[in-house]
Short mmCIF file of all heavy atoms in Angstrom, two decimals:
data_model
loop_
_atom_site.label_atom_id
_atom_site.label_comp_id
_atom_site.label_asym_id
_atom_site.label_seq_id
_atom_site.Cartn_x
_atom_site.Cartn_y
_atom_site.Cartn_z
N ALA A 999 117.06 113.33 86.29
CA ALA A 999 117.58 114.39 85.49
C ALA A 999 116.43 115.18 84.83
O ALA A 999 116.37 116.44 84.85
CB ALA A 999 118.57 113.93 84.44
N ARG A 1000 115.48 114.43 84.30
CA ARG A 1000 114.28 115.09 83.65
C ARG A 1000 113.41 115.75 84.63
O ARG A 1000 112.89 116.81 84.42
CB ARG A 1000 113.48 114.01 82.93
CG ARG A 1000 114.12 113.47 81.67
CD ARG A 1000 112.97 112.69 81.02
NE ARG A 1000 113.39 111.99 79.85
CZ ARG A 1000 112.54 111.38 79.03
NH1 ARG A 1000 111.26 111.44 79.27
NH2 ARG A 1000 112.97 110.77 77.94
N THR A 1001 113.16 115.05 85.77
CA THR A 1001 112.32 115.65 86.84
C THR A 1001 112.83 116.87 87.36
O THR A 1001 112.14 117.89 87.51
CB THR A 1001 112.15 114.54 87.96
OG1 THR A 1001 111.68 113.34 87.42
CG2 THR A 1001 111.25 114.98 89.08
N ARG A 1002 114.15 116.89 87.61
CA ARG A 1002 114.87 118.06 88.13
C ARG A 1002 114.73 119.24 87.20
O ARG A 1002 114.46 120.40 87.62
CB ARG A 1002 116.31 117.69 88.36
CG ARG A 1002 117.13 118.70 89.10
CD ARG A 1002 118.56 118.22 89.26
NE ARG A 1002 119.17 119.08 90.19
CZ ARG A 1002 119.65 120.32 89.96
NH1 ARG A 1002 119.56 120.80 88.75
NH2 ARG A 1002 120.17 121.04 90.90
N ASP A 1003 114.96 118.98 85.90
CA ASP A 1003 114.86 120.06 84.93
C ASP A 1003 113.50 120.69 84.95
O ASP A 1003 113.28 121.87 84.89
CB ASP A 1003 115.16 119.56 83.53
CG ASP A 1003 116.64 119.36 83.26
OD1 ASP A 1003 117.42 119.81 84.12
OD2 ASP A 1003 116.99 118.75 82.24
N ALA A 1004 112.48 119.82 84.98
CA ALA A 1004 111.08 120.30 85.02
C ALA A 1004 110.82 121.17 86.22
O ALA A 1004 110.19 122.23 86.14
CB ALA A 1004 110.12 119.12 84.94
N LEU A 1005 111.26 120.72 87.38
CA LEU A 1005 110.98 121.43 88.60
C LEU A 1005 111.61 122.82 88.55
O LEU A 1005 111.07 123.81 88.96
CB LEU A 1005 111.49 120.67 89.86
CG LEU A 1005 110.69 119.40 90.18
CD1 LEU A 1005 111.39 118.60 91.25
CD2 LEU A 1005 109.24 119.73 90.63
N HIS A 1006 112.91 122.85 88.06
CA HIS A 1006 113.57 124.11 88.04
C HIS A 1006 112.99 125.05 87.05
O HIS A 1006 113.04 126.32 87.23
CB HIS A 1006 115.11 123.90 87.91
CG HIS A 1006 115.76 123.54 89.24
ND1 HIS A 1006 116.14 124.44 90.14
CD2 HIS A 1006 115.97 122.33 89.76
CE1 HIS A 1006 116.62 123.81 91.25
NE2 HIS A 1006 116.55 122.49 91.00
N ALA A 1007 112.49 124.53 85.93
CA ALA A 1007 111.81 125.36 84.96
C ALA A 1007 110.56 126.03 85.54
O ALA A 1007 110.31 127.21 85.29
CB ALA A 1007 111.42 124.50 83.73
N LEU A 1008 109.86 125.27 86.46
CA LEU A 1008 108.67 125.89 87.14
C LEU A 1008 109.08 127.13 87.98
O LEU A 1008 108.31 128.07 88.05
CB LEU A 1008 108.05 124.83 88.00
CG LEU A 1008 107.44 123.63 87.35
CD1 LEU A 1008 106.86 122.68 88.38
CD2 LEU A 1008 106.35 124.06 86.36
N THR A 1009 110.22 127.03 88.59
CA THR A 1009 110.63 128.14 89.48
C THR A 1009 110.85 129.41 88.63
O THR A 1009 110.80 130.51 89.26
CB THR A 1009 111.87 127.86 90.36
OG1 THR A 1009 112.99 127.72 89.46
CG2 THR A 1009 111.72 126.55 91.10
N ARG A 1010 111.19 129.28 87.37
CA ARG A 1010 111.40 130.46 86.56
C ARG A 1010 110.10 131.00 85.99
O ARG A 1010 110.11 132.12 85.42
CB ARG A 1010 112.40 130.15 85.43
CG ARG A 1010 113.75 129.74 85.97
CD ARG A 1010 114.82 129.51 84.82
NE ARG A 1010 114.57 128.40 84.01
CZ ARG A 1010 115.04 127.14 84.30
NH1 ARG A 1010 115.83 126.90 85.41
NH2 ARG A 1010 114.83 126.16 83.44
N ALA A 1011 109.03 130.24 86.07
CA ALA A 1011 107.79 130.64 85.39
C ALA A 1011 106.70 131.21 86.29
O ALA A 1011 105.64 131.68 85.77
CB ALA A 1011 107.24 129.36 84.67
N GLY A 1012 106.90 131.19 87.59
CA GLY A 1012 105.84 131.74 88.43
C GLY A 1012 106.12 131.36 89.89
O GLY A 1012 107.01 130.65 90.17
#
Side-chain angles (χ1 to χ4, degrees):
R1000 288 191 184 188
T1001 303
R1002 186 179 196 282
D1003 282 351
L1005 290 172
H1006 282 275
L1008 295 179
T1009 67
R1010 296 187 289 272

